[in-house]
Amino acid sequence: MKAMVFAAGLGTRLRPITDSLPKALVRVGGEPLLCHVLKKLAASGYDEAVVNVHHFADKIREYLDGKDFGLKVSISDETDLLRETGGALKHAEPLLGGDGPFLVHNVDIVSDLDLGWFRKQCPPDALATLLVSSRETKRYFLFDKQMRLVGWTNVETGEVRSPFPGLRAEDCTKLAFSGIHNISPAVFDAFRQYGCPERFPIVDFYLRACKDYPIYGVAPERLTLVDVGKIETLQQAEKICKTLLA
């Protein structure tokens, strides 16, 4: 089974740490974030991981060189252009393409999610299945009664985005995206169908494709998750890291 770890970001919310270090190598619980994700993938049955690189790419390459995380690790090089999340997937098609679905995991997400459980919840007809939760945030995906994605909202501004005209956020289930999703390889044909550019966010694609393709959300009954993408959550992540990564 294959997975992709998004590790190319500039990590601007973690400055000044990321002025000299890629976000993927920021240490939490004594190990770099990238190490935690790769070990979790290997422990969950994944045998191949693709890591995209851009910001301080050489440092990530040096870190990975010669280390054994229990799975094969390949690099998707984006040093020429930071392609955002959708473009990163499109660029990595030669490494990710195949018959089976693959997992995508943000490098700055630390959680107690059982990835094996998540795989079992993914409907076989799904173009993508998004791990979501009811945690408090400003931005939410919107789902219908069958937990199919129908839109997105910013509750602070009241903005609603959807390919379905007249969609009302109050009629939908609002859940926060975790940065973890399971994707069918059919997504690459969908990218071509929509004429996706070299650089685009995957959320924008989902909000367009959900009209034509089944994209689902899965929400665990219990989930402890920390987004370590900003300075203020580093201390929180340190406090609970031993429990999450046990």
Side-chain angles (χ1 to χ4, degrees):
M1 294 187 297
K2 296 181 180 181
M4 182 166 186
V5 182
F6 284 151
L10 300 177
T12 53
R13 294 181 300 162
L14 279 173
R15 285 176 175 165
I17 298 173
T18 48
D19 286 339
S20 58
L21 191 72
K23 177 168 60 176
L25 299 186
V26 171
R27 289 182 174 266
V28 173
E31 295 281 2
L33 289 167
L34 180 58
C35 176
H36 290 310
V37 176
L38 291 176
K39 285 183 176 180
K40 186 179 183 74
L41 290 171
S44 302
Y46 291 89
D47 48 27
E48 293 186 46
V50 177
V51 179
N52 70 331
V53 296
H54 175 84
H55 184 57
F56 291 118
D58 288 346
K59 292 189 177 184
I60 295 178
R61 289 181 181 275
E62 290 170 10
Y63 172 74
L64 292 172
D65 188 36
K67 289 187 174 59
D68 181 9
F69 296 96
L71 74 175
K72 176 186 175 183
V73 180
S74 302
I75 294 290
S76 180
D77 194 327
E78 294 184 39
T79 51
D80 63 326
L81 175 69
L82 185 58
R83 290 171 168 81
E84 300 192 52
T85 48
L89 287 173
K90 182 180 177 182
H91 186 67
E93 181 180 1
L95 298 170
L96 291 171
D99 295 331
F102 55 89
L103 184 82
V104 175
H105 198 301
N106 287 0
V107 77
D108 56 6
I109 297 299
V110 177
S111 79
D112 61 357
L113 175 68
D114 181 337
L115 291 175
W117 173 88
F118 178 53
R119 283 197 304 270
K120 292 176 183 177
Q121 310 311 306
C122 299
D125 67 327
L127 183 71
T129 305
L130 320 178
L131 182 77
V132 291
S133 70
S134 58
R135 65 187 173 88
E136 186 173 348
T137 184
K138 297 178 183 178
R139 302 170 184 86
Y140 293 93
F141 277 135
L142 301 173
F143 297 92
D144 66 14
K145 293 180 180 179
Q146 286 72 47
M147 282 297 288
R148 279 188 62 158
L149 180 68
V150 291
W152 172 97
T153 188
N154 183 323
V155 295
E156 187 173 75
T157 65
E159 178 187 3
V160 174
R161 295 171 56 194
S162 173
F164 301 100
L167 182 79
R168 302 194 323 157
E170 57 266 34
D171 295 333
C172 305
T173 300
K174 296 191 291 289
L175 293 165
F177 184 39
S178 69
I180 301 171
H181 28 153
N182 200 66
I183 303 178
S184 165
V187 76
F188 299 115
D189 286 337
F191 289 161
R192 286 184 279 273
Q193 173 189 341
Y194 291 123
C196 292
E198 193 171 8
R199 184 175 187 267
F200 65 99
I202 193 62
V203 168
D204 287 358
F205 168 78
Y206 285 155
L207 292 175
R208 182 181 181 186
C210 66
K211 185 175 182 179
D212 303 314
Y213 292 94
I215 298 174
Y216 296 94
V218 167
E221 287 187 12
R222 297 181 183 85
L223 177 67
T224 303
L225 180 146
V226 180
D227 176 354
V228 198
K230 46 192 176 182
I231 288 289
E232 52 265 36
T233 58
L234 271 176
Q235 188 175 6
Q236 177 189 1
E238 286 285 356
K239 288 180 179 178
I240 67 171
C241 200
K242 289 183 180 180
T243 300
L244 288 180
L245 302 169

